[in-house]
C-alpha cells in the first residue's frame, strides 16, 4: 500500500523554525522526485520546494528561497524527505503536503500525495 505521511507541523512564532518530514513507502520511491506544496483556505495551492531523485538538484519558490531547505534520505524501507523552514512568517501559514512524482513545480506532475500537516505562524 502506497503511503506518504507528513509530520512535524505545528504552531510557531514569526521568526522561528520548524522542520517537516515525509515518509513515502509502499513502492520504490527512490527514483521519484519529491516535493512540498502548501495551501491556505481560500488560496491556490502553491509550490514550495522540490528535490530530484538523486538529491543533487533542488528548486524553491521565490517566496521561500533562502529560508527553506529540502533534503531527502533514500532509505531501504522508505524514502524520507524533509523541509527545514526558518525565519518563518505569518504568510507561511498553510497546510503543507508532500508529493512524489516527476521533477516539476506543477502539482500535476506528482502522482502520490500525503494528507498534509498544518503549519501556523503567529505574528
Amino acid at each position: 500500500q502506497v503511503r506518504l505521511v507528513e509530520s512535524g507541523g505545528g504552531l510557531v512564532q514569526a521568526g522561528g523554525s520548524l522542520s517537516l518530514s515525509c515518509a513515502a513507502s509502499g513502492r520504490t520511491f527512490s527514483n521519484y522526485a519529491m516535493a512540498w506544496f502548501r495551501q491556505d483556505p481560500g488560496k491556490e495551492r502553491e509550490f514550495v520546494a522540490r528535490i530530484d531523485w538523486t538529491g543533487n538538484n533542488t528548486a524553491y519558490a521565490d517566496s521561500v528561497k533562502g529560508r527553506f531547505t529540502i533534503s531527502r534520505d533514500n532509505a531501504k524501507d522508505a524514502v524520507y524527505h524533509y523541509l527545514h523552514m526558518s525565519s518563518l512568517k505569518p504568510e507561511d501559514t498553510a497546510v503543507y503536503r508532500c508529493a512524489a512524482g516527476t521533477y516539476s513545480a506543477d502539482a500535476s506532475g506528482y502522482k502520490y500525495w500525503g494528507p498534509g500537516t498544518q503549519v501556523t505562524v503567529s505574528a
Side-chain angles (χ1 to χ4, degrees):
Q1 180 183 2
V2 172
R3 292 187 68 199
L4 273 68
V5 180
E6 304 93 343
S7 60
L11 174 64
V12 63
Q13 286 188 329
S17 299
L18 205 60
S19 290
L20 306 181
S21 301
C22 176
S25 61
R27 66 165 299 141
T28 302
F29 281 105
S30 56
N31 56 350
Y32 275 68
M34 298 292 185
W36 290 93
F37 288 79
R38 66 187 183 186
Q39 188 166 19
D40 209 18
K43 295 183 182 178
E44 294 282 323
R45 179 167 47 190
E46 178 186 16
F47 163 75
V48 176
R50 67 183 191 267
I51 186 167
D52 74 354
W53 71 275
T54 69
N56 293 328
N57 296 293
T58 59
Y60 298 89
D62 288 342
S63 58
V64 306
K65 204 171 292 183
R67 300 188 298 120
F68 289 13
T69 303
I70 189 171
S71 60
R72 69 184 291 158
D73 176 15
N74 291 340
K76 188 174 182 179
D77 60 330
V79 169
Y80 301 90
H81 76 284
Y82 310 96
L83 186 69
H84 180 67
M85 307 180 292
S86 61
S87 301
L88 283 161
K89 305 175 182 179
E91 51 263 43
D92 293 319
T93 295
V95 173
Y96 284 70
R97 298 181 70 186
C98 65
T102 57
Y103 188 62
S104 170
D106 191 328
S108 65
Y110 295 87
K111 183 175 181 181
Y112 302 102
W113 291 82
T117 186
Q118 176 70 45
V119 172
T120 302
V121 184
S122 62

